[in-house]
Amino acid sequence: MEIFSLITAGLPTFGNPYSVFLVVAGSVLGIIFGAIPGLTATMGMAIFLPMTFTMSDINGMLFLIGIYVGACYAGSLSSILVNIPGTPSSIATGFDGYPMTQKGEAGRAIGYATIASALGGIFGVFILMFAAPILAGLALKFSAQEYTGVALLGISIVSYISFGSTIKGLIGAIIGLLLATIGQDVITAYPRFVFGSKNLQAGLEMIPVMVGFFGVTEVLVKLEQMLEIKIKVPKIQNVLPSLSNLVRMSPMMSVSSLIGTFVGAVPAAGGAIASMVAYGIQKRFSKRSKEYGTGISEGVVAAEAANNAAVGGALVPMLSLGIPGDPQTAILIGALMINGLAPGPMLFATRPDLISTIYMGNLLSIIVFTIVGLLGARYFALLIKVPKRYILPAIMIFCIVGSFAIRNTVFDIWVLLGCGLLGYLLQKIGIMAAPIILGFVLGPILEDNFRRSLIMSGGDWTTFFVRPVSLILLLINIFILVGPFLFRFFKQKTRGTL
Amino acid sequence: MMKKMSELKRDSWTTSILCFLIGGFILVDTFHYPEVQGQGFGQGPGFYPQVLAVVLIFLGALILFKEWLPRGTETLEQCSDKPSVRYLPVVLLNILSILMISLMKYLGFFVSGFLLIILTVFMIRRPANMKLMGLDLIFSTGMILLIYLVFEIFVGIELPNSIFWD
């Protein structure tokens, strides 16, 4: 299908006021989740995913995309105003955003953050529109061996970039892969690790597992550090930035957006790394390099353009390969699967309307947060003051309802609680939730393709090395996992000999 | 610093033991799985979990091996100060949640859910503030009402009823 027809195929959806309402509602919910420190886009999407069960696949995706985009933007509000990042992707925003607030320029910082987020987001969507169909076209030529390599790539990258050590990231991913094996074997239908439970025969449901690891675990972590800090939100005025300044900053906005989209498209990288990389590069090459960190608008623009562009970037591997770019796209994959849709190259041929709706929904969400950001930032900023003693029980009860709703069974609430507790305990020893969930989502893809490759080759393991693309992917995997260790080892050895 | 280093060591040991336990359990459990079911070369349902288990055990061993090596800057960075933690609320919330799920059958979702919310709010707010109790009650009732409106009325999900009343 042509790129242009793919862009326009979903336009009729937006003639339906209910669909438009869902994007707006999702974006506003996303802004609320993003603005409150400690609540993330992932948590918001996981909690509200069950609400999409009764919606059509298109409307469900629009609602979730709204939350994703809205939260990604709103993380900047608390980062700028009180130096507490609302979401991990807005950490770099606070480097200059908070010093601007201290100088009495909170409104100006929010204005720049809003415009940069919007332009970065639009840039990301445009790259998505052109890159995803091309990558999907290439992926159609992929065989099981290449898909095995791509799935392994996602796992390697998430392990490498996850907080703490790479080995622990990898252990987390393998725990996720193992959780995905519970239930009937995909090829032989033999029940694995079910311990006689009928509920486990069909495997663990994606929603309670995701909500457990992302929602309940976070509630438990926040609960143990429960300190109610009295937050004073500064006055917000003069939000609209001047046009001349925006024009002056447009080249750097474009560069940050490009970096953000590229980093976001790397499986498992996400907005936090995108904004850090963009901020670092802009600081390195800027004429005002020494002023970064003291409260200059360029710093806010660099970080915000990148983390919002990363949304479009993260959707590229998700739509074209079925590989999640970050935890949020893992939830979107879950939403597609609930509707019986398999994300990947075939989706472009079978459901162009859905692909187009995702593009357009993303753009509409950007429009919503731009309006809300410029006109209502001062009101949304008050959300930062909502006490945690009300937020945490509310999240907990939403997690419980959401998990129950998928199959109307109390067993899923036990799964939710079990996963939440497991996630909390694993976090205590440095194994984070993101690699576990990405492992869980990638599990069926990896197992299916890995075993099919071996079946097709009659058990010959060299099948992964004789196909060029598969070989390249495996080499990249090895480089990601082993490269940094070897590099450090040789560096230490060289130092020792000198 | 010594205390932090020993914490790191404890984490590594715990992770390794966990890997050995999970990996070992999977190898033992899948040992009895049929080896071949309709396939040509002995790749049964236990094959893939066994591969993962072996990798997990290898990673567990690798973490122990790393403990032997002299520490680089990366591991020292991980020793950064952690905020003080309170485990009691975490344990209490888990107990409350288990109680809520167990009582759901008898009290229904809305009553047990209300109890979970209000008891969690009371647990978090320490010392108890009588003046704000009214606000807590309004919040808890409001949350339950919101869930009823959103999930039962708007989404159409029937949440568990009590066996004693509808």
Side-chain angles (χ1 to χ4, degrees):
Chain A
M1 187 159 217
E2 280 179 33
I3 289 172
F4 184 72
S5 348
L6 258 174
I7 294 169
T8 54
L11 281 178
T13 307
F14 296 91
N16 180 354
Y18 179 60
S19 300
V20 176
F21 163 76
L22 285 173
V23 184
V24 177
S27 307
V28 173
L29 275 172
I31 293 171
I32 292 171
F33 264 77
I36 298 173
L39 304 190
T40 59
T42 316
M43 196 192 272
M45 290 171 76
I47 289 171
F48 287 100
L49 177 58
M51 278 191 68
T52 64
F53 295 164
T54 50
M55 299 174 191
S56 66
D57 48 15
I58 283 180
N59 283 339
M61 285 307 278
L62 284 175
F63 185 60
L64 292 174
I65 290 271
I67 298 177
Y68 183 13
V69 176
C72 193
Y73 154 70
S76 63
L77 294 178
S78 55
S79 205
I80 290 168
L81 295 172
V82 288
N83 204 21
I84 306 171
T87 54
S89 61
S90 58
I91 293 171
T93 312
F95 295 164
D96 276 281
Y98 186 62
M100 282 181 81
T101 300
Q102 286 176 314
K103 288 186 205 168
E105 296 176 355
R108 227 176 116 239
I110 289 176
Y112 279 112
T114 307
I115 299 293
S117 298
L119 294 177
I122 292 167
F123 187 92
V125 176
F126 275 102
I127 297 286
L128 168 71
M129 284 172 177
F130 292 96
I134 295 169
L135 194 59
L138 286 173
L140 278 174
K141 293 174 188 145
F142 281 9
S143 185
Q145 289 88 337
E146 283 79 24
Y147 268 108
T148 307
V150 172
L152 283 175
L153 188 67
I155 286 164
S156 308
I157 295 173
V158 77
S159 308
Y160 178 63
I161 62 170
S162 62
F163 179 82
S165 88
T166 305
I167 300 175
K168 285 189 180 176
L170 211 50
I171 289 171
I174 290 179
I175 290 173
L177 291 172
L178 282 169
L179 285 174
T181 62
I182 294 173
Q184 286 189 335
D185 171 27
V186 279
I187 294 177
T188 63
Y190 186 84
R192 298 184 296 195
F193 315 116
V194 295
F195 313 108
S197 162
K198 279 183 187 170
N199 287 308
L200 285 175
Q201 289 272 352
L204 293 177
E205 270 296 333
M206 201 174 267
I207 308 302
V209 175
M210 279 185 178
V211 179
F213 277 107
F214 285 133
V216 177
T217 299
E218 279 305 305
V219 168
L220 296 178
V221 171
K222 296 278 176 303
L223 204 58
E224 69 169 27
Q225 300 163 358
M226 205 49 214
L227 278 173
E228 285 287 9
I229 306 162
K230 222 167 195 166
I231 295 171
K232 194 169 178 267
V233 178
K235 205 172 179 185
I236 299 166
Q237 51 194 8
N238 303 324
V239 175
L240 272 177
S242 75
L243 192 64
S244 59
N245 272 343
L246 284 175
V247 172
R248 181 175 60 81
M249 284 189 224
S250 55
M252 68 167 297
M253 252 189 259
S254 312
V255 173
S256 278
S257 304
L258 191 65
I259 295 167
T261 314
F262 180 76
V263 176
V266 175
I273 293 172
S275 61
M276 287 286 195
V277 172
Y279 184 88
I281 291 177
Q282 296 284 13
K283 185 182 173 183
R284 171 78 180 78
F285 294 102
S286 169
K287 283 176 190 166
R288 301 177 69 188
S289 178
K290 284 181 182 169
E291 291 173 61
Y292 272 74
T294 61
I296 57 169
S297 44
E298 280 86 343
V300 175
V301 166
E304 278 303 299
N307 67 24
N308 286 273
V311 173
L315 289 169
V316 174
M318 180 214 134
L319 290 176
S320 53
L321 302 171
I323 302 290
D326 53 18
Q328 293 91 316
T329 43
I331 293 172
L332 290 178
I333 286 181
L336 286 174
M337 285 175 168
I338 288 166
N339 285 296
L341 297 166
M346 285 308 291
L347 205 61
F348 284 78
T350 55
R351 293 298 306 274
D353 57 328
L354 183 73
I355 301 282
S356 165
T357 308
I358 291 172
Y359 297 161
M360 296 302 159
N362 212 323
L363 288 175
L364 188 56
S365 300
I366 293 168
I367 295 169
V368 174
F369 82 59
T370 310
I371 295 168
V372 170
L374 293 177
L375 301 179
R378 69 189 65 182
Y379 307 109
F380 277 94
L382 296 175
L383 287 167
I384 299 168
K385 293 167 77 175
V386 177
K388 292 234 170 18
R389 64 177 175 275
Y390 292 136
I391 293 173
L392 299 183
I395 291 171
M396 192 71 193
I397 203 78
F398 269 108
C399 290
I400 290 172
V401 178
S403 300
F404 174 83
I406 180 122
R407 288 192 298 192
N408 279 21
T409 157
V410 176
F411 176 77
D412 285 337
I413 307 180
W414 289 114
V415 172
L416 164 96
L417 204 61
C419 288
L421 195 57
L422 178 69
Y424 172 76
L425 294 174
L426 289 175
Q427 202 156 316
K428 287 273 144 206
I429 52 170
I431 299 170
M432 309 309 278
I436 301 173
I437 285 300
L438 287 178
F440 185 73
V441 173
L442 289 171
I445 303 168
L446 179 64
E447 180 176 8
D448 185 35
N449 288 293
F450 173 65
R451 288 175 64 186
R452 275 198 303 123
S453 306
L454 287 174
I455 289 169
M456 285 188 294
S457 67
D460 181 8
W461 286 69
T462 57
T463 185
F464 297 106
F465 305 101
V466 291
R467 296 174 65 93
V469 178
S470 170
L471 177 66
I472 291 167
L473 287 167
L474 282 178
L475 288 175
I476 295 171
N477 275 309
I478 293 167
F479 177 74
I480 291 167
L481 292 175
V482 186
F485 291 105
L486 287 179
F487 180 71
R488 210 177 303 151
F489 177 74
F490 285 120
K491 206 173 157 187
Q492 277 176 355
K493 212 174 173 185
T494 318
R495 262 193 213 150
T497 50
L498 277 173
Chain B
M1 180 61 83
M2 285 305 289
K3 195 183 167 194
K4 283 168 187 168
M5 293 295 271
S6 69
E7 263 178 36
L8 263 183
K9 210 165 190 172
R10 189 194 60 197
D11 285 358
S12 300
W13 273 98
T14 316
T15 311
S16 291
I17 292 167
L18 187 78
C19 290
F20 295 146
L21 283 176
I22 298 174
F25 167 76
I26 285 160
L27 289 179
V28 170
D29 195 70
T30 53
F31 185 72
H32 304 289
Y33 286 8
E35 220 170 76
V36 183
Q37 280 207 351
Q39 291 172 43
F41 70 100
Q43 194 204 88
F47 169 72
Y48 174 73
Q50 280 165 358
V51 172
L52 294 178
V54 170
V55 177
L56 198 61
I57 291 170
F58 170 74
L59 292 172
L62 201 61
I63 282 198
L64 278 188
F65 177 69
K66 263 187 86 181
E67 277 301 311
W68 280 17
L69 296 175
R71 287 185 186 280
T73 46
E74 188 200 318
T75 38
L76 280 173
E77 275 164 20
Q78 290 168 31
C79 297
S80 58
D81 285 331
K82 287 176 187 170
S84 60
V85 292
R86 299 184 307 156
Y87 291 110
L88 186 65
V90 177
V91 175
L92 284 176
L93 182 63
N94 276 295
I95 293 171
L96 281 176
S97 305
I98 291 168
L99 277 173
M100 182 227 171
I101 303 167
S102 309
L103 288 175
M104 211 184 278
K105 190 177 166 187
Y106 305 102
L107 300 177
F109 172 82
F110 293 107
V111 176
S112 52
F114 171 80
L115 288 173
L116 176 73
I117 298 172
I118 196 143
L119 290 175
T120 311
V121 175
F122 286 166
M123 179 187 76
I124 295 171
R125 190 205 297 286
R126 285 195 315 175
N129 187 334
M130 294 300 284
K131 277 184 194 168
L132 291 173
M133 263 189 181
L135 193 64
D136 298 346
L137 272 168
I138 293 169
F139 168 76
S140 307
T141 316
M143 275 306 301
I144 289 297
L145 190 66
L146 181 74
I147 286 169
Y148 172 73
L149 290 174
V150 172
F151 287 94
E152 283 231 338
I153 304 294
F154 179 67
V155 183
I157 295 163
E158 197 182 329
L159 292 162
N161 285 320
S162 160
I163 53 168
F164 302 119
W165 65 82
D166 272 346

